[in-house]
Structure formats: C-alpha cells, structure tokens
C-alpha cells in the first residue's frame, strides 16, 4: 500500500479512537477531522465505508450505551444522565433511546432485563459494524 492508502485505511481507526474518548463532548466533524489529519469529507466517507454508519450514528450509540449503563448502575436522574453522556436535550435523548430500544429510559431503568436487552442490542449493532464501545 502507498502512504496515502495506509493513512486512509487507518483513518476510521483514528476516528473511532478519538470518539471513544470524546463522545460525551460536542461532536463537531471539522474538529474531529482536524484531530485525525483529514478533511471532513475524506474522514466521513472513510468511516462510513468501513463501518456502514455515520460518525454521528456511532456517537449516538456510544452515548446510548453509556446512558443505559448509568440507568442500571446509578441512581442519577435521567436529566443528569443525559448531560453526563453528552446529550444536552432530554428530548433528543428520549427520541434516540425510544428509536433504538422501543422503550423509554424510565422503563429500561425499572426493568433491568429490558435495560440488559438494550445493552445487548447496542453491542450487537456495534459489533456487526466492527465497532466496539
């Protein structure tokens, strides 16, 4: 492989590593691209080609996964969980949660098996795309 091809091949890995650490922060593509040494278009195209999802989808799922773990393991209020994992709109959090899990965060919290099912589904979705939380 040429230098450019090697750099492009490792780009999704660099994006994934960055997002695993910074998923609770605002996800601005131009800042991620700058941190990975690529343009936004090259970075987003490479990530989607490699993983079959967008960077924003990945960030949302990392946040959902962290939120479900906090629903299970903590007594934090749902509003606090939203903020802790990077959602500053509780409505956005609920919309993403219900879209993925088909239950509300409150139901997932009160029914541990539902929450565990959501975690399993998230891990399967991520794993099928070569992504890990």
């Amino acid at each position: 492989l040429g230098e450019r091809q090697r750099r492009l091949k490792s780009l999704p890995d660099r994006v994934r590593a960055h997002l695993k650490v910074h998923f609770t922060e605002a996800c601005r593509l131009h800042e991620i691209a700058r941190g990975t040494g690529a343009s936004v278009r090259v970075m987003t195209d490479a990530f989607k080609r490699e993983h079959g999802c967008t960077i924003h989808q990945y960030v949302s799922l990392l946040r959902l996964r962290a939120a479900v773990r906090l629903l299970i393991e903590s007594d934090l209020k749902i509003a606090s969980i939203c903020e802790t994992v990077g959602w500053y709109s509780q409505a956005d959090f609920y919309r993403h949660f219900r879209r993925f899990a088909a239950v509300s965060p409150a139901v997932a919290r009160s029914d541990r098996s539902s929450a565990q099912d959501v975690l399993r589904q998230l891990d399967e979705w991520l794993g099928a795309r070569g992504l890990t939380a």
Side-chain angles (χ1 to χ4, degrees):
L1 293 175
E3 176 59 30
R4 185 168 193 273
Q5 288 175 316
R6 263 194 302 275
R7 197 173 76 229
L8 289 177
K9 184 173 183 179
S10 64
L11 181 57
D13 292 336
R14 293 195 315 266
V15 171
R16 192 172 61 248
H18 173 84
L19 293 175
K20 279 185 175 183
V21 174
H22 300 284
F23 72 90
T24 61
E25 301 167 14
C27 180
R28 294 185 176 90
L29 292 176
H30 68 278
E31 292 173 0
I32 299 167
R34 188 177 327 124
T36 60
S39 72
V40 170
R41 182 173 179 111
V42 168
M43 176 189 70
T44 56
D45 288 350
F47 191 88
K48 186 156 188 165
R49 188 173 44 254
E50 176 83 17
H51 298 297
C53 67
T54 68
I55 290 170
H56 285 293
Q57 286 171 321
Y58 181 52
V59 168
S60 291
L61 293 178
L62 288 175
R63 289 175 179 171
L64 278 177
R65 190 173 190 290
V68 173
R69 293 187 66 78
L70 287 171
L71 286 170
I72 294 169
E73 298 169 0
S74 79
D75 291 328
L76 288 173
K77 293 183 183 220
I78 292 175
S80 295
I81 290 172
C82 291
E83 191 171 321
T84 299
V85 302
W87 261 300
Y88 296 100
S89 163
Q90 202 168 341
D92 282 347
F93 170 65
Y94 271 82
R95 184 173 40 83
H96 280 88
F97 197 97
R98 287 192 61 91
R99 185 180 297 150
F100 188 85
V103 297
S104 71
V107 168
R109 168 169 267 168
S110 66
D111 180 4
R112 184 162 265 201
S113 67
S114 287
Q116 293 294 344
D117 286 344
V118 172
L119 275 179
R120 184 183 41 73
Q121 291 169 358
L122 285 163
D123 288 341
E124 287 173 4
W125 195 96
L126 291 166
R129 286 157 182 80
L131 297 164
T132 56

